[in-house]
Amino acid sequence: MADRLGTAERTRHAVVIGGSIAGLLAARVLAEHAERVTVVERDRFPEDPGPRAGVPQGRHTHVLLESGQRALEELLPGVVGELRAQGAPRVGMPEDMVQWQDGRWLRRTPATVHLFTGARPRLEHVLRRRVLADPRIATVEGTDAVGLLGDAARVRGVLLRERGAGRGKEPRALEADLVVDASGRGSRAPEWLSAIGAQPPGEETLDTGLAYATRLYRGTPAGAGTDALGHYTVANPRQTYAATVLPIEDGRHLVTLSGLRGDEPPTDDEGFEAYAARLPHPVVSEWLAKAEPESPVHGFRATANVRRRYDRPGRRPAGFVATGDALCTFNPIYGQGMAVAALCAVALRDALADARRTPTTRRVQRALFDASRQAWDISAGADRQMPGAAGNAARTGPAGRAAAWYLKRVQERYAGDPEVGAAFRSVLTLNEPVHALFAPRIMRAALFRPVPATPAEPPLWREEHTP
């Protein structure tokens, strides 16, 4: 079949562009279907956990949603336990966090979902060590992918150039039966497809201009006036400042502050702490005053939602698919990226292993699109409500406005109604589909019950705890 993902026989060689989380997990899956897999990475992988240039968000706050944890366990059994053994904190929501949202403090009732909040470089290091231990998987490091081999009918490999070699140096060819683009938010695959006579995907974009800044702190000691593990101030269209204070390994915390276009958080020490004072309550500023900074402030501004529609019909070659941020990238403030990378890898595994259907390029790409759809709906849906949202995906139709009206009622009850809160969190963390919010008991609460009472002040202790 012309559109078959690999060759007519077993795929001999698969190339994955990008050695971050999405690329590593794609390589893990492809190793079960190809004789060999090559991961092409523009950086050189560090020996120990640490930030690298190819992951510009590596110094910032990351969370691994529960859905992502389950997906990782399916692909690499035991990896979540390994993260725990290395000190990655497990944060229960809502009981472990002091959270402000839509003018209300959330009740700290028993947790219904858990997040891993360890540092991104450590997670990537654990995954890299596990994946690259497979002898079927090789790496080409310090090398840029600069184009595709093939034509509009089929991709047959990639063009590579060693980093630092200069544009004048002729790229070398690396032939492959299958190429997976996991190069991230800055993917150049649409240009590469055009260069071989194929049709690039259409793009949907939505940008609020959100920017954020992060600093590493040695947190306050346990029991210092609270049993909370962190703080979360959520922005909304009327209050556009946000903050997270989340634990990572070794008793440290990452603090991230965010704001919209034209009012970005500063990256100098004094400006960072002054910006925190603009939050709707001083609880985060008070935390900062007691903590010890251990790093400079790092900023980040590339936060647009971008979805490349490879799933739609077009003149595109067999043997090429996109995954992770190269397919769909979200406003990072929602913490979905790592989970979606893992969910995409599971979708890739399932599509390739489906004995009932030939794994054509388009069918596999649709499966990857479906794996990222809910996260897009959540991220884009929230960002459409923010002032200044721009892009061709920023408009909301009648159905979207009706859904937003209903979801606003759900959110109003989320802070104080444990049943509604559990359902809402299950959707936000991609554990359950969006229609879980339309279950009869949730609809009754959203449509007919009054908005429940919530704490008047920051709930510094879990509800069942007496200080």
Side-chain angles (χ1 to χ4, degrees):
M1 184 177 291
D3 188 38
R4 188 179 178 90
L5 193 65
T7 58
E9 305 299 328
R10 176 178 170 86
T11 300
R12 294 184 297 273
H13 183 210
V15 168
V16 178
I17 304 171
S20 194
I21 293 173
L24 291 169
L25 296 178
R28 168 71 186 88
V29 170
L30 293 172
E32 301 298 329
H33 298 272
E35 294 173 8
R36 61 192 180 99
V37 180
T38 302
V39 177
V40 176
E41 171 53 47
R42 67 195 309 269
D43 289 339
R44 295 197 176 276
F45 293 127
E47 291 293 327
D48 299 311
R52 57 187 181 87
V55 186
Q57 297 179 57
R59 298 180 185 274
H60 296 274
T61 300
H62 284 73
V63 299
L64 180 61
L65 305 179
E66 210 165 79
S67 53
Q69 297 167 40
R70 289 200 307 273
L72 285 183
E73 276 295 300
E74 288 188 43
L75 299 166
L76 297 166
V79 71
V80 171
E82 188 172 349
L83 290 170
R84 287 285 287 159
Q86 293 200 19
R90 184 171 183 259
V91 177
M93 303 291 286
E95 70 176 328
D96 288 335
M97 295 287 287
V98 174
Q99 182 171 334
W100 185 96
Q101 185 166 352
D102 290 321
R104 299 176 179 86
W105 296 104
L106 267 66
R107 291 176 56 190
R108 291 182 56 200
T109 51
T112 59
V113 297
H114 291 83
L115 315 174
F116 272 115
T117 62
R120 160 70 181 262
R122 188 177 297 273
L123 169 62
E124 191 172 304
H125 182 263
V126 168
L127 298 181
R128 186 165 60 240
R129 185 174 53 78
R130 289 281 299 270
V131 170
L132 298 186
D134 189 327
R136 298 169 293 186
I137 302 174
T139 62
V140 177
E141 300 175 43
T143 301
D144 285 316
V146 296
L148 298 171
L149 293 171
D151 51 35
R154 172 167 287 282
V155 164
R156 303 187 184 280
V158 291
L159 294 171
L160 305 179
R161 183 184 288 124
E162 186 175 349
R163 293 200 71 192
R167 291 183 177 272
K169 183 172 182 180
E170 192 71 19
R172 65 183 177 90
L174 179 62
E175 295 184 352
D177 304 301
L178 170 63
V179 174
V180 175
D181 179 18
S183 60
R185 178 180 286 268
S187 170
R188 295 179 58 205
E191 303 167 38
W192 300 341
L193 289 169
S194 295
I196 61 172
Q199 183 179 352
E203 289 191 357
E204 297 170 339
T205 62
L206 176 58
D207 187 9
T208 64
L210 180 135
Y212 55 88
T214 300
R215 195 177 197 188
L216 179 65
Y217 285 82
R218 177 68 57 178
T220 55
T226 182
D227 61 0
L229 300 181
H231 299 269
Y232 190 16
T233 300
V234 183
N236 62 50
R238 297 169 303 283
Q239 195 291 115
T240 57
Y241 304 114
T244 59
V245 179
L246 285 174
I248 61 169
E249 299 83 358
D250 306 322
R252 296 174 297 168
H253 288 70
L254 283 172
V255 178
T256 295
L257 307 177
S258 67
L260 301 186
R261 185 184 295 108
D263 195 9
E264 299 88 351
T267 55
D268 63 284
D269 298 355
E270 291 185 6
F272 184 81
E273 296 195 4
Y275 198 87
R278 301 166 72 178
L279 294 165
H281 192 279
V283 65
V284 172
S285 287
E286 291 167 357
W287 189 95
L288 291 174
K290 299 174 185 175
E292 179 184 350
E294 291 196 350
S295 80
V297 182
H298 299 278
F300 191 79
R301 297 193 178 191
T303 62
N305 303 277
V306 180
R307 181 159 66 171
R308 299 179 175 99
R309 298 305 301 266
Y310 288 103
D311 59 296
R312 288 179 173 166
R315 192 180 66 258
R316 297 194 193 92
F320 174 86
V321 295
T323 190
D325 279 1
L327 171 64
C328 187
T329 184
F330 319 96
N331 185 337
I333 206 72
Y334 302 111
Q336 301 165 315
M338 297 195 302
V340 171
L343 292 169
C344 282
V346 170
L348 177 64
R349 179 201 64 185
D350 293 346
L352 294 179
D354 188 349
R356 300 167 301 169
R357 300 176 178 178
T358 301
T360 63
T361 300
R362 190 174 176 198
R363 184 168 290 144
V364 171
Q365 193 66 79
R366 281 178 174 171
L368 293 169
F369 172 82
D370 288 344
S372 64
R373 183 197 295 267
Q374 181 166 322
W376 171 271
D377 289 344
I378 292 169
S379 179
D383 277 0
R384 285 189 188 103
Q385 310 303 315
M386 299 301 286
N392 61 5
R395 296 183 66 182
T396 303
R401 287 192 289 272
W405 176 85
Y406 175 75
L407 291 175
K408 182 176 185 297
R409 296 185 68 86
V410 171
Q411 286 180 276
E412 288 172 344
R413 289 148 181 85
Y414 158 63
D417 185 324
E419 187 175 41
V420 174
F424 195 58
R425 278 185 293 276
S426 72
V427 171
L428 289 181
T429 55
L430 312 179
N431 285 341
E432 297 288 346
V434 172
H435 63 68
L437 297 179
F438 295 86
R441 67 187 189 280
I442 306 303
M443 290 189 72
R444 283 193 297 269
L447 297 176
F448 304 116
R449 291 183 203 160
V451 176
T454 55
E457 295 294 329
L460 299 179
W461 301 94
R462 298 183 182 93
E463 286 198 1
E464 72 276 13
H465 180 90
T466 302

